[in-house]
Amino acid sequence: QVQLVESGGGLVQPGGSLRLSCAASGLVLGSYAIGWFRQAPGKEREGVSFITSGGRTYYANSVKGRFTISRDNAKNTVYLQMNSLKPEDTAVYYCAAGLVGLLRLWRPSEYGYWGQGTQVTVSS
């Protein structure tokens, strides 16, 4: 019954922007910590940005100042606005939801629900 669906990925030039969406059904996103993770070929999955049930936001150093995470409770959707994209941002991006405490937001194993991912490619 629980489903997370990412959308908004695609091919973009360096310096461009994309907005990723994570639409939820079967759970209320406002009750969970939500994480955006990404995985590039040959690399481990890494945390990108997080928003807690209390609305606190966190960012990986590599994206701080360029990405913004937000939540629209009325639409039960979390967004990741990505600006000034770089080739090293290329990856499959996943959203995840879980009852995760503040100190464990960066750990993929703490999240019980995952979307299928959306491809982001940044290339000239």
Side-chain angles (χ1 to χ4, degrees):
Q1 293 282 224
V2 174
Q3 188 174 35
L4 302 177
V5 179
E6 302 96 338
S7 62
L11 175 65
V12 65
Q13 297 278 315
S17 297
L18 288 172
R19 189 181 74 161
L20 305 184
S21 299
C22 176
S25 60
L27 59 80
V28 177
L29 286 181
S31 299
Y32 293 82
I34 308 299
W36 284 99
F37 296 82
R38 67 187 182 188
Q39 188 165 23
K43 299 181 66 177
E44 295 184 352
R45 188 167 298 187
E46 64 174 351
V48 177
S49 184
F50 308 89
I51 184 166
T52 70
S53 60
R56 297 178 65 175
T57 59
Y58 302 87
Y59 300 90
N61 289 335
S62 59
V63 307
K64 205 165 199 174
R66 300 188 296 122
F67 291 11
T68 303
I69 190 170
S70 62
R71 182 174 63 219
D72 187 333
N73 290 332
K75 295 183 177 181
N76 208 29
T77 299
V78 169
Y79 303 95
L80 185 67
Q81 178 67 46
M82 306 187 296
N83 299 325
S84 302
L85 283 162
K86 304 175 180 180
E88 51 263 44
D89 295 318
T90 296
V92 177
Y93 284 71
Y94 301 88
C95 68
L99 299 175
V100 184
L102 180 63
L103 298 178
R104 298 178 176 178
L105 289 173
W106 301 91
R107 302 178 184 179
S109 62
E110 296 292 328
Y111 294 82
Y113 305 102
W114 290 83
Q116 294 302 303
T118 185
Q119 176 71 49
V120 172
T121 302
V122 184
S123 177
S124 59

